[in-house]
Amino acid sequence: MMKDVTPGMIFSDILRSGTPDATAWIRGNAQNPQLSGVVRFYSTPYAGVLVEAEVFGLPDNATQFSSDFYGMHIHENGDCTLPFDKTGDHYNPMKAEHPHHAGDLIQLMSNQGYAWLAFYDKRFMISEIIGRSVIIHKMPDDFMSQPSGNAGEKIGCGIIQGMPMS
């Protein structure tokens, strides 16, 4: 008996054995030097992008059994000079209202300072985000406030870099 193959099965295979097409290595700001992580971007056969994020040292790491949410976005500029104030606005090529910017990503849910997530997105192509930055914010995105969701201070930043062809 043959099983139907779903996109989720293909995504799992990509995450398990694929090579990302772009990567952003995250580092924390001066108040959060323990923050680090990586966001990987994978091509899919569905014309969209599979995004995987793994982040360590988020601010709630000192409280046992704690969990908290942190906004995560792609910003226009790939300049992670401290204090991350040169990253520009959310990546928004269609000039959409928030939360419909191409750079509006899913929130990180931290469990005692650690967060992992993976999701599929068709609002941008990998070639469009190379050289931009991934920002982690101190607070969750409220998905309503204009222009950018009131997620607060930029506590983590990484420049999106394309992976060399092997």
Side-chain angles (χ1 to χ4, degrees):
M1 182 173 174
M2 181 153 254
K3 291 184 179 181
D4 290 333
V5 176
T6 68
M9 293 170 159
I10 292 171
F11 296 159
S12 293
D13 287 344
I14 290 170
L15 291 175
R16 193 172 27 258
S17 58
T19 301
D21 297 289
T23 303
W25 290 96
I26 306 296
R27 67 181 174 103
N29 64 3
Q31 295 77 29
N32 296 278
Q34 76 288 351
L35 195 151
S36 66
V38 62
V39 180
R40 296 178 183 98
F41 300 89
Y42 299 86
S43 296
T44 73
Y46 302 102
V49 176
L50 188 60
V51 180
E52 177 188 29
E54 184 172 27
V55 181
F56 304 86
L58 288 158
D60 68 319
N61 65 353
T63 306
Q64 189 174 14
F65 309 119
S66 66
S67 64
D68 211 343
F69 290 94
Y70 299 89
M72 183 171 66
H73 306 106
I74 296 172
H75 280 245
E76 296 173 318
N77 305 324
D79 186 343
C80 287
T81 304
L82 288 170
F84 310 145
D85 58 350
K86 295 181 173 84
T87 60
D89 294 329
H90 292 182
Y91 175 57
N92 188 14
M94 303 303 288
K95 307 294 184 231
E97 284 203 3
H98 183 74
H100 303 288
H101 305 152
D104 291 332
L105 304 179
I106 292 177
Q107 315 256 25
L108 289 171
M109 184 181 137
S110 170
N111 286 283
Q112 204 166 327
Y114 175 77
W116 181 88
L117 66 80
F119 62 94
Y120 172 71
D121 199 321
K122 278 186 98 168
R123 295 172 300 156
F124 58 85
M125 295 185 303
I126 292 172
S127 62
E128 298 170 341
I129 61 170
I130 300 293
R132 300 186 190 285
S133 59
V134 173
I135 292 292
I136 297 172
H137 292 272
K138 187 175 184 175
M139 299 184 309
D141 187 320
D142 68 13
F143 296 112
M144 296 183 325
S145 299
Q146 298 300 325
S148 60
N150 200 29
E153 178 185 2
K154 298 172 183 176
I155 62 170
C157 184
I159 299 169
I160 303 168
Q161 298 178 354
M163 301 303 287
M165 301 299 259
S166 43

